[in-house]
Each structure stands twice: as structure tokens, then as C-alpha cells.
Amino acid sequence: MAFLGLDVGGSKCRFEWWPRGAAAGGDGRSVQPAVHGVDAAAEGLAAVLREAVRDGAPTAAVCALAGVGDAATSTALVDGLRARGIAFPVAVVGDVLAAAAAALAAGPGVLVWAGTGSFAVARAVDGSLWRVGGRGYLLGDQGSGYDLVRRAARAALLAVDGLAPATALVDALTAAFAAPSPQRLGAVLQRLAPGEVAARLGTVLGVAARGDAVARQALAEGAADLDALTDAAVRKAGLAWRGLATAAGGGVFDAVPDYLGAVGARLTARGAAAPVLVAPRAAAVGAAWLADGWHRGQSPQKEWVDRVAL
């Protein structure tokens, strides 16, 4: 038996198999029901699944998507996949569950995630999961790639209006987003998907590296917010910080070691073990591991998948 897992985040889609090496993994187009709609998300998922199973169908699959936050959305996506000819057993869950499977399969601990979006999730002693954050780019995702760029752009506009200190972010972000003027940065960002905004994080990092205090402050505030999310998840799970196993994942941590270091320093100051960096493809492997346990009725996989989202 072989099991397939998809990890569909805000900007990337990856698929992997369980057991490892059962078949080749790969990449596909990212689709989110909250951004693209359920029909478009089902169509995109079906295309990725067809690509992944060219050499044979899996025993079962779990698709973990950003933006799946309730059973109704999950059911609609599964129905959409069935209508598009996907016949093998498949479950659709939120992407937080795949990340938790990647980092917390061994037992109690906490994971902080910073990609296009962000969240923290802790596994309690009884195996239950407790999530904080990741509530979408409009009202949440503190410390994520999107949020860091948004903070920087907001600081730039405040500087333009004389409401905050001058910053090199003004010219840098105006050029990076090809805005007709600094004053139009907001209008430009509002037309872009979260992943497109997050993709300009390198511009903010470059300005910060050249010593710009405003850019550095945006990064420091993001790290502080991620620390707060993680602390809240630990408290919800009823865990103690001393010696706690911690993990960190997501594209921002992968690409920016200094940011991981800043967040990690805050967590170790609380008494936790130094965070272990989750590999970029680990969440897709985690989704495949979930598919295995879900199909077999094993704990905690079945409980996590049946919950759909946190």
C-alpha cells in the first residue's frame, strides 16, 4: 500500500508519498478555496492528483489546503474531486494539520510556522492539537511573509505622509511593486494575492540589511508576534516551556536564517529546546502519513483528519 499527501500553501503545492520512496514526489499549482473559490480549487487539486498518480493510484490520499477551515468546505472539495474522476479515497483538511503531522508526530511539542501565512500549533500530552493564529491575511497571519511586507509597506506610506520616520522602504517597495508612485502602494497591494505580496519579502530584507531602522523594526515586530502565538498555543495545550520540543517551518524560516534565529532566541529564553527546522517538503510527507493512519483507523491520524481543521 502507498499513500499520497498534498501540502497546498499560499504560494506552493507539493506532493509526497508514504512510505517514503513509494513513488516520486513533485510540485503543482497552488489553489486556495478562500482565494480562488471551491470549484477552482477542486479543479486545481484534481490536476495535481492526476499528475501525482500517473504511475498508479494510492490506497488513500490526504490533501491539506490553506483556507480549509470547516467540514462544509472539505466536503464540497471532496465532492468536486469525485465529479472530476478522482476515485480513490481522499480527505481534504486544513494545511495546519499537515504541518503538525510533519513536526509533532512523535509526541508533545509546539510548531511555529511562517510562510505566506503563519500559525502556531501545539500537541498536548493526550495527542490533541491546539492552534493559534493563521486566521487569514486580513485579520491574522502575524509574522508571516505577507505580514512582514504589509508592515513594511504601511511604514513606507506613513513616512510618505509625514506620520512616521523616513525610510528607504519607500523607494524600494515602490520599485519592487512597480507602483506608479509611493502613494499608490496600497492600491497595488490590494489587487495582489497574498503569495504575490509575500514574494517581495526579499526587498524588505535587503533594506533591513543596509541598516534601515524602520525595516528592522518591522522584522522585530513580526518575530515578537510569532513568539506570542507560540506561547498562546503552548498554554492552550497545557504544556510547560522548560525543555519543550519545538519546531519551526515555512518558507520564511527556510529562506531567512536570521529571522528563525530571532524567533528561536525568544523561545529558548522561555526555556524551550532550540527549534528544529522542518524541511520544505515535510508537510507533504506529513499529509501522506495522515492518509496512512486515516485509512487504517490509527490514532492520532484518524482523529486529526476527521477534525478537518483547527
Side-chain angles (χ1 to χ4, degrees), residues 86-298:
I86 303 301
F88 49 83
V90 60
V92 176
V93 301
D95 61 336
V96 176
L97 292 177
L104 305 174
V110 65
L111 165 70
V112 57
W113 193 273
T116 300
S118 71
F119 57 84
V121 58
R123 178 177 177 176
V125 174
D126 65 3
S128 61
L129 296 176
W130 299 85
R131 172 259 190 92
V132 174
R135 307 306 181 185
Y137 69 93
L138 183 62
L139 300 177
D141 287 338
Q142 304 95 310
S144 68
Y146 177 92
D147 181 57
L148 294 174
V149 177
R150 182 201 62 80
R151 288 174 190 266
R154 182 175 184 273
L157 286 176
L158 289 173
V160 167
D161 286 338
L163 297 171
T167 171
L169 289 167
V170 175
D171 291 340
L173 289 175
T174 300
F177 284 103
S181 69
Q183 291 82 352
R184 297 298 294 165
L185 266 175
V188 172
L189 266 66
Q190 287 169 179
R191 293 196 297 266
L192 299 177
E196 295 175 293
V197 175
R200 306 313 204 280
L201 178 58
T203 299
V204 179
L205 296 172
V207 173
R210 293 192 290 274
D212 187 274
V214 175
R216 289 187 171 186
Q217 180 64 24
L219 298 176
E221 290 173 356
D225 277 349
L226 289 177
D227 170 58
L229 292 182
T230 310
D231 180 53
V234 169
R235 287 188 281 107
K236 281 192 171 188
L239 298 172
W241 271 108
R242 183 168 298 280
L244 184 66
T246 65
V252 176
F253 287 141
D254 292 331
V256 192
D258 287 348
Y259 194 55
L260 173 60
V263 175
R266 290 175 176 271
L267 301 184
T268 55
R270 293 183 181 276
V276 174
L277 183 62
V278 176
R281 306 195 71 87
V285 176
W289 175 77
L290 287 175
D292 183 355
W294 172 63
H295 176 75
R296 300 173 189 268
Q298 294 178 337

